[in-house]
């Protein structure tokens, strides 16, 4: 997959889905507010699960043009979305702790994702928005880090996509350095979770 094909898919996706992206972004924002304030603890995981399923179906299944999008990214996002929904049900009383300093920084980086894309010379529709594969994974990693109970398979999937941020240079999508930072953070979370005693999980 070359850079032009990469940005062409992004442009088509943004042109056809921007109203849905705005609606989903509002849902995610409200869900985070509800979970961080402990009103509905499971809301953030549920909304992020829906967002990941939307990316899988609405981005890769609908507009994907390359085999890697259909056979790697699509199943990864579908499984990630389903696991987040499962976690929102299984551990619905698990509180979402307010972000520490690093998590707050990562949340800020998620918020400025589109701004960074604009500053890099991209314009709509061929630019990165909040409801796109890399930003959604970045947000999923940052928010899921705030939950006490963590699913190791889910962390592994988030880490895999997070580390694909190395493609930022290949596709001239330098905003995805944000994704790479989140991926490295998720790898640390995964290692720490594996090292935890079984009874502590």
């Amino acid at each position: 997959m070359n850079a032009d094909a990469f940005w062409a898919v992004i442009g088509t996706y943004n042109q056809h889905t921007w109203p849905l992206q705005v609606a989903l972004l509002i849902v995610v924002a409200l869900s985070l507010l509800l979970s961080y304030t402990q009103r509905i603890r499971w809301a953030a995981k549920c909304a992020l699960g829906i967002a990941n399923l939307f990316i899988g179906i609405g981005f890769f299944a609908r507009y994907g043009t390359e085999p890697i999008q259909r056979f790697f990214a699509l199943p990864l996002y579908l499984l990630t979305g389903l696991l987040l929904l499962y976690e929102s049900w299984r551990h619905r009383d698990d509180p979402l702790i307010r972000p520490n300093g690093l998590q707050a920084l990562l949340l800020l980086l998620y918020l400025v994702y589109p701004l960074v894309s604009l500053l890099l010379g991209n314009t709509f529709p061929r630019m990165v928005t909040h409801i796109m594969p890399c930003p959604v994974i970045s947000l999923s990693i940052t928010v899921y880090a705030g939950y006490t109970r963590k699913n190791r398979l889910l962390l592994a999937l988030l880490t895999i996509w997070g580390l694909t941020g190395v493609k930022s240079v290949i596709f001239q999508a330098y905003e995805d350095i944000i994704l790479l930072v989140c991926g490295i953070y998720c790898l640390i979370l995964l290692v720490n979770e594996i090292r935890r005693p079984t009874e502590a999980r």
Side-chain angles (χ1 to χ4, degrees):
M1 184 177 185
N2 58 43
D4 189 62
F6 173 82
W7 285 105
V9 171
I10 288 175
T12 304
Y13 164 79
N14 280 335
Q15 280 183 319
H16 291 90
T17 66
W18 69 263
L20 289 174
Q21 290 187 53
V22 172
L24 188 52
L25 181 61
I26 292 172
V27 169
V28 169
L30 291 175
S31 299
L32 292 179
L33 179 62
L34 289 171
S35 291
Y36 277 123
T37 57
Q38 308 302 319
R39 295 187 180 184
I40 305 178
R41 295 178 171 182
W42 50 266
K45 284 185 282 191
C46 182
L48 289 172
I50 293 170
N52 277 276
L53 289 176
F54 175 79
I55 294 298
I57 298 169
F59 188 95
F60 292 111
R62 178 67 180 86
Y63 299 106
T65 58
E66 306 296 321
I68 193 171
Q69 295 175 324
R70 296 294 181 90
F71 300 109
F72 170 65
L74 173 59
L76 185 147
Y77 274 87
L78 293 180
L79 185 53
T80 297
L82 291 173
L83 283 172
L84 279 165
L85 290 178
Y86 172 72
E87 287 295 307
S88 74
W89 171 78
R90 184 184 181 194
H91 299 303
R92 51 190 173 275
D93 294 325
D94 191 20
L96 178 58
I97 307 302
R98 293 195 177 186
N100 58 30
L102 177 57
Q103 291 162 4
L105 175 61
L106 295 180
L107 285 173
L108 176 61
L109 290 175
Y110 167 77
L111 289 174
V112 301
Y113 228 119
L115 177 60
V116 173
S117 192
L118 288 170
L119 291 175
L120 288 170
N122 299 310
T123 56
F124 190 86
R126 289 168 68 115
M127 62 171 285
V128 178
T129 61
H130 285 112
I131 305 298
M132 283 188 58
C134 298
V136 165
I137 287 291
S138 297
L139 182 62
S140 298
I141 290 170
T142 305
V143 173
Y144 193 57
Y147 283 100
T148 304
R149 297 179 177 179
K150 296 180 178 66
N151 183 305
R152 285 182 289 175
L153 175 57
L154 177 54
L155 282 177
L157 293 174
L158 292 171
T159 299
I160 289 170
W161 191 265
L163 295 179
T164 67
V166 297
K167 72 182 183 304
S168 57
V169 177
I170 300 172
F171 297 131
Q172 299 174 359
Y174 299 109
E175 51 270 80
D176 282 342
I177 292 173
I178 296 171
L179 172 67
L180 180 58
V181 172
C182 291
I184 293 170
Y185 176 55
C186 195
L187 177 60
I188 295 170
L189 293 176
L190 177 60
V191 171
N192 289 340
E193 186 65 21
I194 292 172
R195 289 177 174 174
R196 284 178 64 193
T198 303
E199 60 272 14
R201 295 188 187 119

